[in-house]
Amino acid sequence: QPTSKFFHPHIIFGEVVNVVNHRNKSLERCRLLSAVLCCGFLLGSLLGAVWAGGLDANQTEQLHKYISEYLSVTEQTDVAVAFGSIFWNHFRWYLCLLLLGVSFPGMFFLPVLFGFRGFLLTFSLGCFLRIFGGVGLIPGLILLGLPSFLWIPAMWITASSVPEYCLFRSVPKSNS
């Protein structure tokens, strides 16, 4: 029997079929988990938009006053932001995702995490729109959209693959 990097004499036809079936099941689980994560994120985003739209005039005025005071203070002083603070703001979601993804009960909270993330992003953007009108869309997208454009796909890929490797890992047994 010829041996090469594409053919190994110890692999028999049944084992190859088991490996292919294992990969197909893995892909199906990954697609299902992605769909559930998508539903969680969209539901959280919808709730965030509805909640931001439901602010009354008094709450909107208080939020406008708070943001205006914050922006005036940051314009008057040099604000030094520590690396640890920035690191924590960006990596806390990823860390939470990894901690939830490696445990069986935590896996059921991954859609909740995505829903919460979607809620916070959409609620924040909705508040910018509510306070500043259409002009608030530009700073909202710059402050929230650019980091989310990079982090949400990274979280999605990780959330879809971490449970597969940690919980559903079942390598086909060899017949040797």
Side-chain angles (χ1 to χ4, degrees), residues 94-146:
Y94 204 68
L95 179 66
C96 188
L97 180 134
L98 290 174
L99 291 174
L100 289 174
V102 297
S103 68
F104 185 72
M107 198 174 71
F108 294 106
F109 289 104
L110 286 176
V112 175
L113 176 70
F114 272 75
F116 187 65
R117 182 73 169 142
F119 174 84
L120 291 177
L121 290 172
T122 309
F123 178 76
S124 300
L125 186 59
C127 286
F128 272 102
L129 287 171
R130 184 91 169 149
I131 293 169
F132 301 115
V135 179
L137 184 63
I138 294 170
L141 287 176
I142 290 172
L143 291 172
L144 303 169
L146 291 177

Side-chain angles (χ1 to χ4, degrees), residues 9-140:
H10 297 295
I11 295 180
I12 59 172
F13 182 70
E15 288 181 12
V16 172
V17 170
N18 286 340
V19 169
V20 170
N21 287 339
H22 174 71
R23 288 186 182 159
N24 287 340
K25 288 178 187 176
S26 172
L27 186 59
E28 289 172 15
R29 285 191 291 246
C30 187
R31 286 181 182 162
L32 176 65
L33 185 57
S34 289
V36 170
L37 293 175
C38 182
C39 289
F41 186 81
L42 291 176
L43 181 63
S45 297
L46 180 65
L47 288 174
V50 168
W51 199 298
L55 294 176
D56 63 6
N58 185 30
Q59 291 171 327
T60 304
E61 184 60 36
Q62 288 176 351
L63 194 56
H64 186 279
K65 182 180 169 185
Y66 174 76
I67 290 178
S68 297
E69 288 175 4
Y70 176 78
L71 291 176
S72 68
V73 167
T74 57
E75 286 177 355
Q76 295 170 359
T77 60
D78 289 334
V79 178
V81 181
F83 174 75
S85 173
I86 294 173
F87 185 81
W88 176 249
N89 282 338
H90 288 290
F91 281 97
R92 65 181 169 193
W93 300 103
Y94 204 68
L95 179 66
C96 188
L97 180 134
L98 290 174
L99 291 174
L100 289 174
V102 297
S103 68
F104 185 72
M107 198 174 71
F108 294 106
F109 289 104
L110 286 176
V112 175
L113 176 70
F114 272 75
F116 187 65
R117 182 73 169 142
F119 174 84
L120 291 177
L121 290 172
T122 309
F123 178 76
S124 300
L125 186 59
C127 286
F128 272 102
L129 287 171
R130 184 91 169 149
I131 293 169
F132 301 115
V135 179
L137 184 63
I138 294 170

